[in-house]
Amino acid sequence: MSFPKPLSGLTILDFSVLLPGPFCTAILASYGAEVIKIEPPGMGDMARVYNAEMFAMLNRGKKSVVLDLKTAAAQEKVLALAASAHGVVESLRPGVMDRLGVGYEALRAVNPALVYCALSGFGQDGPYRDRAGHDLDFLALGGFFSVPIQLDGPLARPRVHLADQLGGLNAAMAMSMALVEAQRSGQGRLVDAAIFDAVANWSLLALLASDKAGASAPADHKHVLADMDIYRTADGRALTLGTMEDKFWQALVPVLAPDGGPLADPALATRRGRDADKHRLSALLKARFAEKTRAEWEALIAPLDTCWGVVYEGDEMLADPHLQARGLVGNDAR
Protein backbone atom coordinates (compact mmCIF):
# COMPACT_ATOMS: atom_id res chain seq x y z
CA MET A 1 0.00 0.00 0.00
CA SER A 2 1.44 3.37 -1.00
CA PHE A 3 1.88 5.94 1.73
CA PRO A 4 0.86 9.58 1.11
CA LYS A 5 3.75 12.06 1.07
CA PRO A 6 2.06 15.47 1.42
CA LEU A 7 5.23 17.06 2.85
CA SER A 8 7.40 16.08 -0.12
CA GLY A 9 9.59 18.99 -1.24
CA LEU A 10 9.70 20.58 2.22
CA THR A 11 12.93 20.81 4.21
CA ILE A 12 13.03 20.72 8.01
CA LEU A 13 16.08 21.65 10.10
CA ASP A 14 16.09 19.48 13.21
CA PHE A 15 18.08 20.70 16.23
CA SER A 16 16.34 18.34 18.67
CA VAL A 17 17.79 15.44 20.65
CA LEU A 18 16.66 12.37 22.60
CA LEU A 19 13.01 11.42 22.00
CA PRO A 20 10.29 14.13 21.70
CA GLY A 21 11.81 16.27 18.94
CA PRO A 22 13.26 13.40 16.89
CA PHE A 23 9.90 11.60 17.18
CA CYS A 24 8.23 14.73 15.81
CA THR A 25 10.62 15.02 12.87
CA ALA A 26 10.47 11.27 12.21
CA ILE A 27 6.73 11.71 11.65
CA LEU A 28 7.35 14.66 9.33
CA ALA A 29 9.93 12.60 7.43
CA SER A 30 7.50 9.70 7.08
CA TYR A 31 5.15 12.11 5.27
CA GLY A 32 7.84 13.12 2.83
CA ALA A 33 9.77 16.00 4.41
CA GLU A 34 13.53 16.14 4.02
CA VAL A 35 14.92 16.38 7.54
CA ILE A 36 18.42 17.70 8.15
CA LYS A 37 19.51 16.75 11.66
CA ILE A 38 21.97 19.25 13.12
CA GLU A 39 24.06 17.79 15.95
CA PRO A 40 26.80 19.23 18.17
CA PRO A 41 30.35 17.93 17.75
CA GLY A 42 31.56 15.08 19.93
CA MET A 43 28.76 12.84 21.17
CA GLY A 44 26.12 14.44 18.96
CA ASP A 45 22.58 13.54 19.97
CA MET A 46 23.11 11.80 23.32
CA ALA A 47 20.57 9.16 22.26
CA ARG A 48 23.37 7.69 20.13
CA VAL A 49 24.96 6.51 23.39
CA TYR A 50 21.93 6.32 25.66
CA ASN A 51 19.96 4.03 23.33
CA ALA A 52 21.48 3.40 19.93
CA GLU A 53 18.52 1.27 18.76
CA MET A 54 16.03 4.01 19.58
CA PHE A 55 18.26 6.59 17.91
CA ALA A 56 18.34 4.51 14.73
CA MET A 57 14.57 4.14 14.64
CA LEU A 58 13.88 7.83 15.27
CA ASN A 59 16.48 9.19 12.87
CA ARG A 60 16.43 6.79 9.95
CA GLY A 61 16.31 8.56 6.60
CA LYS A 62 17.42 11.93 7.97
CA LYS A 63 20.49 13.77 6.79
CA SER A 64 23.05 14.77 9.42
CA VAL A 65 25.21 17.86 9.80
CA VAL A 66 27.64 18.54 12.67
CA LEU A 67 27.73 22.19 13.78
CA ASP A 68 29.02 23.85 16.92
CA LEU A 69 26.36 26.52 17.39
CA LYS A 70 28.58 28.39 19.82
CA THR A 71 30.78 29.48 16.90
CA ALA A 72 30.07 32.34 14.51
CA ALA A 73 30.80 30.15 11.49
CA ALA A 74 28.15 27.61 12.51
CA GLN A 75 25.62 30.34 13.20
CA GLU A 76 26.17 31.74 9.72
CA LYS A 77 25.72 28.24 8.29
CA VAL A 78 22.38 27.88 10.11
CA LEU A 79 21.19 31.21 8.74
CA ALA A 80 22.13 30.08 5.24
CA LEU A 81 20.29 26.77 5.66
CA ALA A 82 17.24 28.50 7.12
CA ALA A 83 17.00 30.84 4.16
CA SER A 84 15.87 27.99 1.93
CA ALA A 85 14.26 25.71 4.54
CA HIS A 86 10.55 25.46 5.31
CA GLY A 87 10.64 24.54 8.97
CA VAL A 88 12.76 24.26 12.11
CA VAL A 89 12.30 22.00 15.14
CA GLU A 90 14.34 22.58 18.29
CA SER A 91 13.98 21.15 21.79
CA LEU A 92 16.24 23.34 23.91
CA ARG A 93 15.01 25.33 26.87
CA PRO A 94 13.35 28.65 25.99
CA GLY A 95 15.83 31.37 25.10
CA VAL A 96 18.84 29.14 24.36
CA MET A 97 18.56 29.37 20.57
CA ASP A 98 18.10 33.14 20.86
CA ARG A 99 21.31 33.45 22.87
CA LEU A 100 23.11 31.48 20.17
CA GLY A 101 21.88 33.92 17.54
CA VAL A 102 19.73 31.39 15.69
CA GLY A 103 16.36 31.75 17.43
CA TYR A 104 13.02 32.43 15.77
CA GLU A 105 13.49 36.16 15.19
CA ALA A 106 16.95 35.70 13.66
CA LEU A 107 15.78 32.96 11.31
CA ARG A 108 12.57 34.76 10.39
CA ALA A 109 14.65 37.73 9.31
CA VAL A 110 16.20 35.63 6.54
CA ASN A 111 13.04 33.63 5.75
CA PRO A 112 9.62 35.13 6.66
CA ALA A 113 7.85 31.95 5.52
CA LEU A 114 9.74 29.73 7.97
CA VAL A 115 7.73 27.69 10.48
CA TYR A 116 9.70 27.45 13.73
CA CYS A 117 8.63 24.83 16.27
CA ALA A 118 10.02 25.33 19.78
CA LEU A 119 9.28 22.00 21.47
CA SER A 120 10.00 22.35 25.19
CA GLY A 121 8.91 20.79 28.44
CA PHE A 122 6.71 23.58 29.72
CA GLY A 123 6.35 26.08 26.90
CA GLN A 124 7.69 29.55 26.15
CA ASP A 125 5.98 31.27 29.10
CA GLY A 126 4.59 30.52 32.55
CA PRO A 127 6.27 29.90 35.93
CA TYR A 128 7.74 26.54 34.82
CA ARG A 129 9.19 27.99 31.59
CA ASP A 130 12.84 27.45 32.55
CA ARG A 131 12.32 24.30 34.60
CA ALA A 132 14.09 21.09 33.58
CA GLY A 133 12.12 17.88 33.22
CA HIS A 134 11.82 14.47 31.63
CA ASP A 135 8.97 12.17 30.65
CA LEU A 136 7.92 11.05 34.14
CA ASP A 137 7.99 14.62 35.50
CA PHE A 138 5.65 15.88 32.78
CA LEU A 139 3.25 13.02 33.46
CA ALA A 140 3.14 13.89 37.16
CA LEU A 141 2.74 17.64 36.75
CA GLY A 142 0.38 17.23 33.80
CA GLY A 143 -2.12 15.31 35.93
CA PHE A 144 -1.66 11.89 34.33
CA PHE A 145 -1.44 10.13 37.69
CA SER A 146 -4.44 12.08 38.99
CA VAL A 147 -6.75 10.22 36.63
CA PRO A 148 -8.01 6.98 38.22
CA ILE A 149 -8.63 4.17 35.78
CA GLN A 150 -8.80 1.07 38.01
CA LEU A 151 -10.63 0.43 41.25
CA ASP A 152 -7.47 -0.63 43.03
CA GLY A 153 -4.71 0.00 40.50
CA PRO A 154 -1.25 0.72 41.93
CA LEU A 155 0.59 3.94 41.14
CA ALA A 156 3.04 2.96 38.42
CA ARG A 157 4.80 4.56 35.49
CA PRO A 158 3.69 3.75 31.94
CA ARG A 159 5.68 1.14 30.07
CA VAL A 160 6.56 3.59 27.26
CA HIS A 161 7.78 7.21 27.28
CA LEU A 162 4.21 8.42 26.99
CA ALA A 163 4.72 12.13 27.66
CA ASP A 164 7.71 12.38 25.33
CA GLN A 165 5.93 10.65 22.46
CA LEU A 166 2.68 12.55 23.05
CA GLY A 167 4.58 15.83 23.04
CA GLY A 168 6.35 14.87 19.81
CA LEU A 169 3.09 13.80 18.19
CA ASN A 170 1.36 17.06 19.11
CA ALA A 171 4.32 19.03 17.79
CA ALA A 172 4.19 17.12 14.50
CA MET A 173 0.49 17.86 14.08
CA ALA A 174 0.93 21.54 14.88
CA MET A 175 3.98 21.76 12.64
CA SER A 176 2.17 20.10 9.73
CA MET A 177 -0.78 22.48 9.95
CA ALA A 178 1.51 25.51 10.23
CA LEU A 179 3.49 24.33 7.19
CA VAL A 180 0.28 24.06 5.16
CA GLU A 181 -0.71 27.58 6.20
CA ALA A 182 2.75 28.94 5.38
CA GLN A 183 2.61 27.41 1.90
CA ARG A 184 -0.69 29.19 1.29
CA SER A 185 0.08 32.56 2.89
CA GLY A 186 3.83 32.86 2.53
CA GLN A 187 4.02 33.71 6.25
CA GLY A 188 5.61 31.46 8.81
CA ARG A 189 5.06 31.40 12.55
CA LEU A 190 6.42 30.32 15.90
CA VAL A 191 4.85 27.09 17.12
CA ASP A 192 5.03 26.88 20.92
CA ALA A 193 4.72 23.13 21.63
CA ALA A 194 4.92 22.03 25.27
CA ILE A 195 5.01 18.45 26.51
CA PHE A 196 3.27 19.59 29.71
CA ASP A 197 0.37 21.01 27.67
CA ALA A 198 -0.02 17.78 25.72
CA VAL A 199 -0.25 15.67 28.87
CA ALA A 200 -2.51 18.15 30.69
CA ASN A 201 -4.98 18.26 27.80
CA TRP A 202 -5.38 14.49 27.91
CA SER A 203 -5.60 14.37 31.71
CA LEU A 204 -8.12 17.19 32.00
CA LEU A 205 -10.47 15.49 29.57
CA ALA A 206 -10.91 12.62 32.05
CA LEU A 207 -10.70 14.66 35.25
CA LEU A 208 -13.32 17.21 34.22
CA ALA A 209 -15.67 14.49 32.99
CA SER A 210 -15.98 12.96 36.46
CA ASP A 211 -19.41 12.58 38.02
CA LYS A 212 -18.35 14.63 41.02
CA ALA A 213 -16.14 17.68 41.23
CA GLY A 214 -13.03 16.80 43.19
CA ALA A 215 -13.92 13.12 43.33
CA SER A 216 -11.07 11.16 44.88
CA ALA A 217 -12.35 7.57 45.10
CA PRO A 218 -11.80 5.71 41.81
CA ALA A 219 -15.35 4.34 41.87
CA ASP A 220 -16.67 7.92 41.77
CA HIS A 221 -15.38 8.36 38.24
CA LYS A 222 -17.71 7.13 35.53
CA HIS A 223 -14.84 5.94 33.33
CA VAL A 224 -13.54 3.55 36.03
CA LEU A 225 -15.28 0.27 35.26
CA ALA A 226 -14.83 -3.14 36.87
CA ASP A 227 -15.29 -4.90 33.55
CA MET A 228 -12.65 -2.77 31.83
CA ASP A 229 -9.51 -3.80 33.66
CA ILE A 230 -6.53 -6.15 33.78
CA TYR A 231 -7.00 -9.56 35.37
CA ARG A 232 -4.44 -12.17 36.45
CA THR A 233 -4.87 -15.77 35.35
CA ALA A 234 -3.96 -19.02 37.10
CA ASP A 235 -0.46 -19.11 35.62
CA GLY A 236 0.42 -15.59 36.73
CA ARG A 237 -0.18 -14.15 33.28
CA ALA A 238 -2.84 -11.56 32.53
CA LEU A 239 -5.56 -10.53 30.12
CA THR A 240 -7.61 -7.39 29.59
CA LEU A 241 -11.36 -7.03 29.59
CA GLY A 242 -13.21 -4.20 27.84
CA THR A 243 -16.91 -5.01 28.00
CA MET A 244 -18.18 -1.46 28.31
CA GLU A 245 -21.22 -2.12 26.11
CA ASP A 246 -23.90 -4.50 27.37
CA LYS A 247 -23.77 -6.69 24.26
CA PHE A 248 -20.09 -7.45 24.84
CA TRP A 249 -20.68 -8.31 28.49
CA GLN A 250 -23.63 -10.51 27.65
CA ALA A 251 -21.60 -12.35 25.00
CA LEU A 252 -18.98 -13.16 27.65
CA VAL A 253 -21.30 -14.32 30.44
CA PRO A 254 -21.85 -17.90 29.09
CA VAL A 255 -18.08 -18.45 29.31
CA LEU A 256 -17.65 -16.73 32.66
CA ALA A 257 -20.65 -18.44 34.22
CA PRO A 258 -21.59 -21.54 32.17
CA ASP A 259 -23.53 -23.01 35.09
CA GLY A 260 -25.00 -19.77 36.37
CA GLY A 261 -23.78 -18.12 39.53
CA PRO A 262 -23.06 -14.54 40.61
CA LEU A 263 -21.55 -13.43 37.27
CA ALA A 264 -24.78 -14.48 35.54
CA ASP A 265 -26.78 -12.18 37.83
CA PRO A 266 -29.32 -10.32 35.62
CA ALA A 267 -28.53 -7.16 37.59
CA LEU A 268 -25.09 -7.16 35.97
CA ALA A 269 -26.46 -7.43 32.44
CA THR A 270 -26.69 -3.66 32.04
CA ARG A 271 -24.07 -0.94 32.25
CA ARG A 272 -26.05 0.73 35.01
CA GLY A 273 -26.16 -2.47 37.02
CA ARG A 274 -22.45 -3.19 36.65
CA ASP A 275 -21.57 0.39 37.62
CA ALA A 276 -23.76 0.20 40.72
CA ASP A 277 -21.81 -2.80 42.01
CA LYS A 278 -18.24 -2.12 40.83
CA HIS A 279 -16.37 -3.55 43.79
CA ARG A 280 -18.34 -6.81 43.97
CA LEU A 281 -18.02 -7.32 40.21
CA SER A 282 -14.28 -6.69 40.36
CA ALA A 283 -13.86 -9.30 43.11
CA LEU A 284 -15.92 -11.84 41.18
CA LEU A 285 -13.90 -11.33 38.01
CA LYS A 286 -10.57 -11.59 39.85
CA ALA A 287 -11.60 -14.90 41.37
CA ARG A 288 -12.99 -16.27 38.10
CA PHE A 289 -10.03 -15.41 35.88
CA ALA A 290 -7.65 -16.87 38.47
CA GLU A 291 -9.23 -20.29 37.89
CA LYS A 292 -7.71 -20.89 34.43
CA THR A 293 -4.47 -20.13 32.61
CA ARG A 294 -4.15 -17.35 30.06
CA ALA A 295 -4.05 -19.87 27.22
CA GLU A 296 -7.20 -21.58 28.50
CA TRP A 297 -9.06 -18.28 28.67
CA GLU A 298 -7.80 -17.31 25.23
CA ALA A 299 -9.21 -20.52 23.75
CA LEU A 300 -12.60 -19.89 25.39
CA ILE A 301 -12.95 -16.19 24.63
CA ALA A 302 -11.39 -15.94 21.16
CA PRO A 303 -14.51 -17.24 19.32
CA LEU A 304 -16.75 -14.66 21.04
CA ASP A 305 -17.75 -11.24 19.75
CA THR A 306 -16.50 -9.36 22.79
CA CYS A 307 -13.67 -7.01 23.80
CA TRP A 308 -10.61 -8.55 25.40
CA GLY A 309 -6.88 -9.05 24.89
CA VAL A 310 -3.94 -11.06 26.18
CA VAL A 311 -1.23 -9.09 27.98
CA TYR A 312 1.99 -9.78 26.12
CA GLU A 313 5.27 -10.12 27.97
CA GLY A 314 8.78 -9.65 26.66
CA ASP A 315 8.88 -9.82 22.88
CA GLU A 316 5.69 -11.91 22.53
CA MET A 317 4.05 -9.06 20.65
CA LEU A 318 6.44 -9.51 17.73
CA ALA A 319 4.77 -12.84 16.94
CA ASP A 320 1.27 -11.37 16.94
CA PRO A 321 -0.36 -12.31 13.61
CA HIS A 322 -2.18 -8.98 13.28
CA LEU A 323 1.01 -7.02 13.93
CA GLN A 324 2.72 -9.00 11.20
CA ALA A 325 -0.20 -8.69 8.78
CA ARG A 326 -0.21 -4.90 9.19
CA GLY A 327 3.50 -4.77 8.34
CA LEU A 328 4.43 -2.79 11.46
CA VAL A 329 7.79 -4.52 11.95
CA GLY A 330 10.33 -6.08 9.60
CA ASN A 331 11.11 -9.77 9.48
CA ASP A 332 14.36 -9.21 11.41
CA ALA A 333 12.73 -7.37 14.35
CA ARG A 334 13.79 -10.10 16.76
Side-chain angles (χ1 to χ4, degrees):
M1 181 176 67
S2 61
F3 197 68
K5 304 288 185 181
L7 300 183
S8 293
L10 302 186
T11 299
I12 308 297
L13 305 182
D14 181 7
F15 296 87
S16 66
V17 298
L18 290 176
L19 200 162
F23 184 62
C24 165
T25 53
I27 294 172
L28 300 179
S30 72
Y31 284 100
E34 178 186 62
V35 177
I36 301 175
K37 186 175 180 67
I38 298 175
E39 300 181 70
M43 181 189 299
D45 183 342
M46 66 186 75
R48 289 180 179 272
V49 176
Y50 168 67
N51 190 323
E53 292 80 8
M54 183 183 74
F55 176 88
M57 288 188 288
L58 291 175
N59 296 286
R60 66 188 185 278
K62 300 177 184 178
K63 296 181 177 180
S64 180
V65 175
V66 176
L67 291 175
D68 183 354
L69 297 182
K70 296 179 181 179
T71 67
Q75 293 161 11
E76 288 299 320
K77 179 64 174 177
V78 170
L79 292 175
L81 289 170
S84 59
H86 301 87
V88 165
V89 175
E90 56 100 342
S91 60
L92 298 172
R93 289 199 224 185
V96 173
M97 291 288 279
D98 292 324
R99 292 196 294 273
L100 293 170
V102 289
Y104 173 60
E105 294 298 336
L107 300 189
R108 184 174 69 162
V110 299
N111 184 354
L114 189 72
V115 175
Y116 185 106
C117 178
L119 173 55
S120 63
F122 297 100
Q124 301 302 300
D125 54 32
Y128 294 166
R129 175 183 184 270
D130 298 316
R131 182 169 173 170
H134 278 302
D135 179 84
L136 199 57
D137 311 311
F138 304 128
L139 290 176
L141 292 166
F144 176 83
F145 297 110
S146 302
V147 181
I149 198 62
Q150 294 173 278
L151 289 171
D152 55 0
L155 184 65
R157 65 176 299 169
R159 303 303 178 92
V160 297
H161 292 285
L162 183 60
D164 285 349
Q165 291 181 258
L166 177 58
L169 177 62
N170 274 18
M173 289 192 296
M175 189 73 175
S176 297
M177 288 184 279
L179 286 167
V180 169
E181 180 190 15
Q183 294 301 297
R184 292 174 178 171
S185 68
Q187 294 297 313
R189 65 171 57 242
L190 172 65
V191 176
D192 178 2
I195 301 173
F196 171 84
D197 293 359
V199 175
N201 281 332
W202 275 21
S203 301
L204 288 169
L205 179 65
L207 285 172
L208 297 179
S210 173
D211 283 326
K212 303 174 184 177
S216 58
D220 290 338
H221 294 258
K222 63 175 62 178
H223 61 270
V224 177
L225 309 176
D227 55 324
M228 292 189 69
D229 210 334
I230 302 171
Y231 288 97
R232 287 287 176 183
T233 54
D235 54 349
R237 309 301 291 277
L239 54 78
T240 61
L241 195 62
T243 55
M244 183 176 72
E245 297 91 340
D246 292 341
K247 65 179 182 178
F248 294 130
W249 170 260
Q250 292 162 13
L252 187 62
V253 167
V255 164
L256 291 178
D259 301 317
L263 285 169
D265 186 345
L268 299 176
T270 66
R271 178 76 270 153
R272 185 184 299 274
R274 296 194 297 283
D275 287 349
D277 212 355
K278 293 180 182 181
H279 290 287
R280 181 175 76 99
L281 178 56
S282 177
L284 290 172
L285 289 170
K286 285 180 181 178
R288 181 66 176 117
F289 282 118
E291 294 176 3
K292 297 180 183 295
T293 67
R294 192 186 75 174
E296 289 173 328
W297 281 117
E298 184 174 3
L300 289 170
I301 301 176
L304 307 178
D305 182 22
T306 192
C307 302
W308 71 289
V310 295
V311 176
Y312 289 132
E313 297 179 8
D315 64 355
E316 287 181 327
M317 178 186 176
L318 297 178
D320 183 281
H322 192 74
L323 181 83
Q324 295 178 348
R326 296 289 292 173
L328 296 180
V329 294
N331 293 330
D332 59 347
R334 288 181 182 274

